[in-house]
Coordinates of all heavy atoms in Angstrom, one line a residue:
I277 N 120.7 77.2 99.6 CA 121.4 78.4 100.3 C 122.2 79.1 99.6 O 122.2 80.3 99.5 CB 122.0 77.6 101.6 CG1 121.0 76.9 102.4 CG2 122.7 78.7 102.4 CD1 121.7 76.1 103.6
D278 N 123.1 78.5 98.7 CA 124.1 79.1 97.8 C 123.4 80.0 96.8 O 123.9 81.0 96.4 CB 125.1 78.1 97.2 CG 125.9 77.4 98.2 OD1 126.4 78.1 99.1 OD2 126.2 76.2 98.0
A279 N 122.2 79.5 96.4 CA 121.6 80.3 95.3 C 120.7 81.4 95.8 O 120.3 82.3 94.9 CB 120.6 79.3 94.6
C280 N 120.5 81.6 97.1 CA 119.5 82.6 97.5 C 120.2 84.0 97.4 O 121.4 84.2 97.5 CB 119.1 82.4 99.0 SG 120.3 82.8 100.2
N281 N 119.2 85.0 97.4 CA 119.7 86.4 97.3 C 119.9 86.9 98.8 O 119.9 86.1 99.7 CB 118.7 87.3 96.6 CG 117.4 87.3 97.2 OD1 117.2 87.2 98.5 ND2 116.3 87.5 96.4
D282 N 120.1 88.2 99.0 CA 120.6 88.7 100.2 C 119.4 88.9 101.2 O 119.6 89.4 102.3 CB 121.4 89.9 100.1 CG 122.8 89.6 99.6 OD1 123.1 88.5 99.6 OD2 123.5 90.6 99.2
R283 N 118.1 88.6 100.8 CA 117.0 88.8 101.7 C 116.8 87.6 102.5 O 116.1 86.6 102.1 CB 115.8 89.2 100.8 CG 115.8 90.6 100.1 CD 114.4 90.9 99.6 NE 114.1 90.0 98.5 CZ 114.4 90.2 97.2 NH1 115.2 91.2 96.9 NH2 114.0 89.3 96.3
I284 N 117.4 87.5 103.7 CA 117.4 86.3 104.6 C 116.6 86.8 105.8 O 117.0 87.7 106.5 CB 118.8 85.8 104.9 CG1 119.4 85.3 103.6 CG2 118.7 84.6 105.8 CD1 120.9 84.9 103.7
T285 N 115.5 86.0 106.2 CA 114.7 86.5 107.3 C 114.4 85.3 108.2 O 114.0 84.3 107.8 CB 113.3 87.1 106.7 OG1 113.6 88.0 105.7 CG2 112.5 87.6 107.9
E286 N 114.5 85.5 109.5 CA 114.1 84.6 110.5 C 112.6 84.8 110.9 O 112.1 86.0 111.2 CB 114.9 84.7 111.8 CG 116.3 84.2 111.7 CD 117.0 84.0 112.9 OE1 116.6 84.6 114.0 OE2 118.0 83.3 113.0
R287 N 111.7 83.8 110.8 CA 110.3 83.9 111.1 C 109.9 82.8 112.1 O 109.7 81.7 111.9 CB 109.5 83.7 109.8 CG 109.8 84.7 108.7 CD 108.8 84.7 107.6 NE 109.2 85.6 106.5 CZ 108.9 86.9 106.5 NH1 108.4 87.5 107.7 NH2 109.3 87.7 105.6
P288 N 109.8 83.3 113.3 CA 109.3 82.4 114.4 C 107.8 82.0 114.1 O 107.0 82.9 113.7 CB 109.3 83.2 115.7 CG 110.3 84.3 115.3 CD 110.0 84.6 114.0
I289 N 107.4 80.8 114.2 CA 106.0 80.3 114.0 C 105.3 80.4 115.3 O 105.6 79.8 116.2 CB 106.0 78.9 113.4 CG1 106.9 78.9 112.1 CG2 104.7 78.5 113.1 CD1 106.4 79.9 111.0
V290 N 104.3 81.2 115.3 CA 103.5 81.4 116.6 C 102.0 81.0 116.3 O 101.6 80.9 115.1 CB 103.5 82.9 117.0 CG1 104.9 83.3 117.3 CG2 102.8 83.8 115.9
A291 N 101.3 80.8 117.3 CA 99.9 80.4 117.2 C 99.1 80.8 118.4 O 99.6 80.9 119.5 CB 99.8 78.9 117.1
L292 N 97.8 81.2 118.2 CA 96.9 81.4 119.3 C 96.4 79.9 119.7 O 96.6 78.9 119.0 CB 95.7 82.2 118.8 CG 95.9 83.7 118.7 CD1 94.8 84.3 117.9 CD2 96.0 84.3 120.1
P293 N 95.9 79.8 120.9 CA 95.3 78.5 121.3 C 94.3 78.0 120.4 O 93.5 78.6 120.0 CB 94.8 78.8 122.8 CG 95.4 80.1 123.2 CD 95.7 80.9 122.0
V294 N 94.4 76.7 120.2 CA 93.4 76.0 119.3 C 92.0 76.2 120.1 O 91.9 76.0 121.3 CB 93.7 74.5 119.2 CG1 92.5 73.8 118.5 CG2 95.0 74.3 118.4
G295 N 91.0 76.6 119.3 CA 89.7 76.8 120.0 C 89.6 78.2 120.5 O 88.6 78.5 121.3
H296 N 90.6 79.1 120.3 CA 90.4 80.5 120.8 C 89.0 81.1 120.5 O 88.6 81.0 119.3 CB 91.5 81.3 120.2 CG 91.4 82.8 120.5 ND1 91.3 83.8 119.6 CD2 91.4 83.4 121.7 CE1 91.2 85.0 120.2 NE2 91.3 84.8 121.4
R297 N 88.5 81.7 121.5 CA 87.2 82.4 121.3 C 87.0 83.5 122.3 O 87.8 83.6 123.2 CB 86.0 81.4 121.4 CG 85.8 80.7 122.8 CD 84.6 79.8 122.8 NE 84.5 78.8 121.7 CZ 83.3 78.7 120.9 NH1 82.3 79.4 121.3 NH2 83.3 77.7 120.0
W298 N 86.0 84.3 122.2 CA 85.8 85.4 123.1 C 84.3 85.6 123.3 O 83.5 85.1 122.5 CB 86.4 86.7 122.7 CG 86.0 87.1 121.3 CD1 85.0 87.9 121.0 CD2 86.7 86.8 120.0 NE1 84.8 88.1 119.6 CE2 85.9 87.4 119.0 CE3 87.7 86.0 119.7 CZ2 86.2 87.3 117.7 CZ3 88.1 85.9 118.4 CH2 87.3 86.5 117.3
T299 N 84.0 86.3 124.4 CA 82.6 86.7 124.6 C 82.3 87.9 123.6 O 83.0 88.9 123.6 CB 82.4 87.1 126.0 OG1 82.7 86.0 126.9 CG2 80.9 87.6 126.3
H300 N 81.2 87.7 123.0 CA 80.7 88.8 122.0 C 80.7 90.1 122.6 O 80.1 90.3 123.7 CB 79.4 88.4 121.5 CG 78.8 89.5 120.5 ND1 79.4 89.8 119.3 CD2 77.6 90.2 120.6 CE1 78.6 90.7 118.8 NE2 77.7 91.1 119.6
R301 N 81.3 91.1 121.9 CA 81.2 92.5 122.3 C 80.6 93.3 121.2 O 81.2 93.3 120.1 CB 82.6 93.0 122.7 CG 82.6 94.5 123.1 CD 84.0 95.0 123.6 NE 83.9 96.4 123.9 CZ 84.9 97.0 124.5 NH1 86.0 96.4 124.7 NH2 84.8 98.3 124.9
P302 N 79.5 93.8 121.3 CA 78.8 94.6 120.1 C 79.8 95.7 119.7 O 80.4 96.4 120.5 CB 77.6 95.2 120.8 CG 77.2 94.3 121.9 CD 78.5 93.8 122.5
G303 N 79.9 95.8 118.3 CA 80.7 96.8 117.8 C 82.1 96.5 117.4 O 82.8 97.3 116.8
V304 N 82.6 95.3 117.9 CA 84.0 94.9 117.5 C 84.0 93.5 117.3 O 83.4 92.6 118.0 CB 84.9 95.2 118.8 CG1 86.4 94.9 118.5 CG2 84.7 96.6 119.2
T305 N 84.8 93.1 116.3 CA 85.1 91.6 116.1 C 86.4 91.5 115.4 O 87.1 92.5 115.0 CB 84.1 91.0 115.3 OG1 84.1 89.6 115.3 CG2 83.9 91.4 113.8
L306 N 86.9 90.3 115.1 CA 88.1 90.0 114.5 C 87.9 89.0 113.4 O 86.9 88.3 113.3 CB 89.0 89.3 115.6 CG 89.3 90.0 116.9 CD1 90.1 89.1 117.8 CD2 90.0 91.3 116.7
L307 N 89.0 89.0 112.5 CA 88.9 87.9 111.4 C 90.4 87.5 111.1 O 91.3 88.2 111.5 CB 88.2 88.4 110.1 CG 88.7 89.6 109.3 CD1 89.9 89.3 108.6 CD2 87.5 90.0 108.4
G308 N 90.6 86.4 110.5 CA 91.9 86.1 110.0 C 92.9 85.8 111.2 O 92.4 85.3 112.2
D309 N 94.1 86.1 110.9 CA 95.1 85.9 112.0 C 94.9 86.5 113.3 O 95.3 86.1 114.4 CB 96.5 86.3 111.5 CG 97.1 85.2 110.5 OD1 96.5 84.1 110.3 OD2 98.2 85.5 109.9
A310 N 94.2 87.7 113.2 CA 93.9 88.4 114.5 C 93.0 87.5 115.4 O 93.0 87.5 116.6 CB 93.1 89.7 114.2
A311 N 92.1 86.6 114.8 CA 91.2 85.8 115.4 C 91.9 84.4 115.7 O 91.5 83.8 116.7 CB 89.9 85.6 114.7
H312 N 92.7 83.8 114.8 CA 93.0 82.5 114.9 C 94.3 82.2 114.2 O 94.4 81.2 113.3 CB 91.9 81.6 114.3 CG 91.3 82.0 113.0 ND1 92.1 82.1 111.9 CD2 90.0 82.5 112.7 CE1 91.3 82.5 110.9 NE2 90.1 82.8 111.4
V313 N 95.3 83.0 114.4 CA 96.7 82.6 113.8 C 97.1 81.1 114.2 O 97.0 80.8 115.3 CB 97.7 83.7 114.3 CG1 98.1 83.6 115.7 CG2 99.0 83.5 113.4
M314 N 97.6 80.5 113.2 CA 98.0 79.1 113.1 C 99.2 78.8 112.4 O 99.5 79.6 111.5 CB 96.7 78.3 112.8 CG 96.3 78.5 111.3 SD 94.8 77.6 110.9 CE 93.5 78.7 111.8
P315 N 99.9 77.7 112.7 CA 101.1 77.5 111.7 C 100.6 77.2 110.4 O 99.5 76.9 110.1 CB 101.5 76.0 112.4 CG 101.0 76.2 113.9 CD 99.8 76.8 113.7
P316 N 101.5 77.5 109.5 CA 101.2 77.5 107.9 C 101.1 76.1 107.3 O 100.9 76.1 106.1 CB 102.3 78.3 107.4 CG 103.5 78.0 108.2 CD 103.0 77.8 109.5
F317 N 101.3 75.0 108.0 CA 101.5 73.7 107.4 C 100.4 73.3 106.6 O 100.4 72.6 105.6 CB 102.0 72.7 108.4 CG 103.3 73.0 108.9 CD1 103.5 73.6 110.2 CD2 104.4 72.6 108.2 CE1 104.7 73.9 110.7 CE2 105.7 72.9 108.7 CZ 105.9 73.5 110.0
A318 N 99.1 73.6 107.0 CA 97.9 73.0 106.4 C 97.5 74.0 105.3 O 96.4 73.7 104.6 CB 96.8 72.8 107.3
G319 N 98.1 75.2 105.0 CA 97.7 76.1 104.0 C 96.4 76.7 104.3 O 95.6 77.2 103.3
E320 N 95.9 76.8 105.5 CA 94.6 77.3 105.8 C 94.5 78.8 106.2 O 93.4 79.5 106.2 CB 94.0 76.5 107.0 CG 93.7 75.1 106.7 CD 92.5 74.9 105.9 OE1 91.9 76.0 105.5 OE2 92.2 73.8 105.6
G321 N 95.6 79.5 106.5 CA 95.6 80.8 107.0 C 94.8 81.8 106.2 O 93.9 82.4 106.5
V322 N 95.3 81.9 104.9 CA 94.7 82.9 104.0 C 93.2 82.4 103.6 O 92.3 83.3 103.4 CB 95.6 83.2 102.7 CG1 95.5 82.0 101.9 CG2 95.1 84.5 102.0
N323 N 93.0 81.1 103.5 CA 91.7 80.7 103.1 C 90.8 80.9 104.2 O 89.6 81.4 104.0 CB 91.8 79.2 102.8 CG 92.5 78.9 101.5 OD1 91.8 79.2 100.4 ND2 93.8 78.5 101.4
M324 N 91.2 80.7 105.5 CA 90.3 81.0 106.6 C 90.0 82.5 106.7 O 88.9 82.9 106.9 CB 90.9 80.5 107.9 CG 90.9 79.0 108.1 SD 89.2 78.3 108.3 CE 88.8 77.7 106.6
A325 N 91.0 83.3 106.5 CA 90.8 84.8 106.5 C 89.8 85.2 105.5 O 88.9 86.1 105.7 CB 92.1 85.6 106.4
M326 N 89.9 84.7 104.3 CA 89.0 85.2 103.2 C 87.6 84.7 103.5 O 86.6 85.4 103.2 CB 89.6 84.7 101.9 CG 90.8 85.4 101.4 SD 91.5 84.8 99.9 CE 90.4 85.4 98.7
L327 N 87.6 83.5 104.0 CA 86.2 82.9 104.3 C 85.5 83.7 105.5 O 84.4 84.1 105.5 CB 86.2 81.5 104.8 CG 85.0 80.7 105.1 CD1 83.9 80.8 103.9 CD2 85.2 79.3 105.5
D328 N 86.4 84.2 106.5 CA 85.9 85.0 107.5 C 85.4 86.2 107.0 O 84.3 86.7 107.3 CB 87.0 85.4 108.5 CG 87.4 84.2 109.4 OD1 86.8 83.2 109.4 OD2 88.6 84.4 110.0
G329 N 86.1 86.9 106.0 CA 85.7 88.1 105.4 C 84.4 88.0 104.7 O 83.4 88.8 104.7
L330 N 84.3 86.9 103.9 CA 83.0 86.6 103.2 C 81.9 86.4 104.1 O 80.8 87.1 104.0 CB 83.2 85.3 102.3 CG 81.9 84.7 101.7 CD1 81.3 85.7 100.7 CD2 82.2 83.4 101.1
E331 N 81.9 85.5 105.0 CA 80.8 85.2 105.9 C 80.4 86.4 106.8 O 79.2 86.6 107.0 CB 81.1 84.0 106.7 CG 81.3 82.8 105.8 CD 80.8 81.4 106.4 OE1 80.7 81.3 107.6 OE2 80.6 80.6 105.6
L332 N 81.4 87.2 107.3 CA 81.0 88.4 108.1 C 80.3 89.4 107.1 O 79.2 90.0 107.6 CB 82.2 89.0 108.7 CG 82.0 90.3 109.5 CD1 81.1 90.2 110.6 CD2 83.4 90.8 110.0
G333 N 80.8 89.6 106.0 CA 80.2 90.5 105.1 C 78.7 90.1 104.7 O 77.9 90.9 104.7
L334 N 78.6 88.8 104.4 CA 77.2 88.4 104.0 C 76.3 88.5 105.2 O 75.1 88.8 105.1 CB 77.3 86.9 103.7 CG 78.0 86.6 102.3 CD1 78.0 85.1 102.0 CD2 77.4 87.4 101.2
A335 N 76.8 88.2 106.5 CA 75.9 88.3 107.7 C 75.5 89.8 107.9 O 74.3 90.1 108.2 CB 76.7 87.8 108.9
L336 N 76.4 90.8 107.7 CA 76.1 92.1 107.9 C 75.1 92.7 106.9 O 74.2 93.5 107.1 CB 77.3 93.1 107.9 CG 78.4 92.8 109.0 CD1 79.6 93.6 108.6 CD2 77.8 93.1 110.3
A337 N 75.2 92.1 105.6 CA 74.3 92.5 104.6 C 72.9 91.9 104.8 O 71.9 92.6 104.3 CB 74.9 92.1 103.2
A338 N 72.9 90.8 105.5 CA 71.5 90.1 105.5 C 70.7 90.5 106.8 O 69.5 90.3 106.8 CB 71.8 88.5 105.6
D339 N 71.3 91.0 107.8 CA 70.7 91.3 109.1 C 70.9 92.7 109.5 O 72.0 93.1 109.8 CB 71.2 90.3 110.1 CG 70.3 90.3 111.4 OD1 69.6 91.2 111.6 OD2 70.4 89.3 112.2
P340 N 69.9 93.5 109.7 CA 70.0 94.8 110.1 C 70.5 95.0 111.5 O 71.0 96.0 112.0 CB 68.6 95.4 109.9 CG 67.7 94.4 109.9 CD 68.4 93.2 109.3
D341 N 70.2 93.9 112.3 CA 70.8 93.9 113.7 C 72.2 93.4 113.6 O 72.5 92.2 113.7 CB 69.9 92.9 114.5 CG 70.3 92.9 116.1 OD1 71.5 93.3 116.3 OD2 69.5 92.5 116.8
W342 N 73.2 94.4 113.6 CA 74.5 94.0 113.4 C 75.2 93.2 114.6 O 76.0 92.3 114.3 CB 75.3 95.2 113.0 CG 75.3 95.6 111.6 CD1 74.3 95.1 110.7 CD2 76.2 96.5 110.8 NE1 74.6 95.6 109.4 CE2 75.7 96.4 109.5 CE3 77.2 97.2 111.2 CZ2 76.2 97.2 108.5 CZ3 77.9 98.0 110.3 CH2 77.3 98.0 108.9
S343 N 74.7 93.5 115.8 CA 75.2 92.7 116.8 C 74.9 91.3 116.8 O 75.7 90.4 117.0 CB 74.7 93.3 118.2 OG 75.2 92.6 119.3
R344 N 73.7 91.0 116.4 CA 73.2 89.7 116.2 C 73.9 89.0 115.0 O 74.4 87.8 115.1 CB 71.7 89.6 116.0 CG 71.1 88.2 115.7 CD 69.6 88.3 115.8 NE 69.2 89.1 114.6 CZ 67.9 89.6 114.6 NH1 67.0 89.5 115.4 NH2 67.6 90.4 113.5
A345 N 74.1 89.8 113.9 CA 74.8 89.2 112.7 C 76.3 88.9 113.2 O 76.8 87.8 112.7 CB 74.8 90.3 111.7
V346 N 77.0 89.8 113.9 CA 78.4 89.5 114.2 C 78.5 88.3 115.1 O 79.3 87.5 115.0 CB 79.0 90.8 114.8 CG1 80.4 90.4 115.4 CG2 79.1 91.8 113.8
Q347 N 77.5 88.2 116.1 CA 77.6 87.1 117.0 C 77.5 85.7 116.3 O 78.1 84.7 116.6 CB 76.5 87.3 118.1 CG 76.7 86.3 119.2 CD 75.8 86.7 120.4 OE1 74.9 87.5 120.4 NE2 76.1 86.0 121.5
G348 N 76.4 85.7 115.2 CA 76.3 84.5 114.5 C 77.6 84.2 113.7 O 78.0 83.0 113.6
Y349 N 78.2 85.2 113.1 CA 79.5 85.1 112.4 C 80.6 84.4 113.4 O 81.2 83.4 113.0 CB 79.9 86.3 111.8 CG 81.4 86.4 111.7 CD1 82.1 85.7 110.7 CD2 82.1 87.2 112.6 CE1 83.6 85.8 110.6 CE2 83.6 87.3 112.6 CZ 84.2 86.5 111.5 OH 85.6 86.7 111.4
E350 N 80.6 85.1 114.5 CA 81.7 84.5 115.5 C 81.5 83.1 115.8 O 82.5 82.3 115.9 CB 81.7 85.5 116.7 CG 82.2 86.9 116.4 CD 82.1 87.8 117.5 OE1 81.2 87.5 118.5 OE2 82.8 88.9 117.6
E351 N 80.3 82.7 116.2 CA 80.1 81.4 116.6 C 80.4 80.3 115.6 O 81.0 79.3 115.8 CB 78.6 81.1 117.0 CG 78.3 81.9 118.4 CD 79.1 81.5 119.6 OE1 79.5 80.2 119.6 OE2 79.6 82.3 120.3
A352 N 80.0 80.5 114.4 CA 80.4 79.7 113.2 C 81.9 79.7 112.9 O 82.5 78.7 112.7 CB 79.7 80.1 112.0
M353 N 82.6 80.9 113.0 CA 83.9 81.1 112.8 C 84.8 80.3 113.9 O 85.8 79.6 113.5 CB 84.3 82.5 112.8 CG 85.8 82.7 112.5 SD 86.8 82.9 114.0 CE 86.1 84.5 114.6
F354 N 84.3 80.4 115.1 CA 85.1 79.6 116.2 C 85.1 78.2 115.9 O 86.2 77.6 116.1 CB 84.4 79.9 117.5 CG 84.4 81.3 118.1 CD1 83.4 81.7 118.9 CD2 85.5 82.1 117.8 CE1 83.4 83.1 119.4 CE2 85.4 83.5 118.3 CZ 84.4 83.9 119.1
E355 N 84.0 77.6 115.5 CA 84.1 76.2 115.1 C 85.0 75.8 114.0 O 85.8 74.8 114.1 CB 82.6 75.7 114.9 CG 81.7 75.8 116.1 CD 82.1 75.1 117.3 OE1 82.6 73.9 117.2 OE2 82.0 75.6 118.4
R356 N 84.8 76.5 112.9 CA 85.6 76.1 111.8 C 87.1 76.4 112.0 O 88.0 75.7 111.5 CB 85.1 76.7 110.4 CG 85.3 78.2 110.4 CD 84.9 78.7 109.0 NE 85.0 80.2 108.9 CZ 84.1 81.0 109.1 NH1 82.8 80.4 109.3 NH2 84.1 82.3 108.9
A357 N 87.4 77.5 112.7 CA 88.8 77.8 112.9 C 89.5 76.8 113.9 O 90.6 76.6 113.7 CB 88.9 79.3 113.5
A358 N 88.8 76.4 114.8 CA 89.2 75.4 115.7 C 89.7 74.1 115.1 O 90.8 73.6 115.3 CB 88.2 75.0 116.8
S359 N 88.9 73.7 114.0 CA 89.2 72.5 113.3 C 90.5 72.7 112.5 O 91.4 71.9 112.4 CB 88.0 72.1 112.4 OG 88.3 71.0 111.6
A360 N 90.5 73.9 111.8 CA 91.7 74.2 110.9 C 92.9 74.4 111.7 O 94.0 73.9 111.4 CB 91.3 75.5 110.1

Side-chain angles (χ1 to χ4, degrees):
I277 301 173
D278 294 320
C280 77
N281 62 31
D282 287 347
R283 295 189 296 274
I284 300 175
T285 308
E286 290 192 339
R287 299 196 182 280
I289 303 305
V290 301
L292 284 165
V294 174
H296 174 238
R297 59 174 58 225
W298 56 87
T299 300
H300 173 64
R301 178 175 181 174
V304 183
T305 194
L306 308 173
L307 62 76
D309 283 355
H312 43 65
V313 64
M314 61 190 73
F317 293 99
E320 291 288 359
V322 72
N323 286 284
M324 287 292 99
M326 294 176 71
L327 183 58
D328 291 349
L330 168 65
E331 297 213 337
L332 177 56
L334 293 178
L336 296 174
D339 192 341
D341 184 338
W342 276 14
S343 180
R344 182 173 60 200
V346 170
Q347 190 166 15
Y349 150 77
E350 289 172 341
E351 290 301 321
M353 179 268 289
F354 293 151
E355 294 300 320
R356 66 170 177 269
S359 177

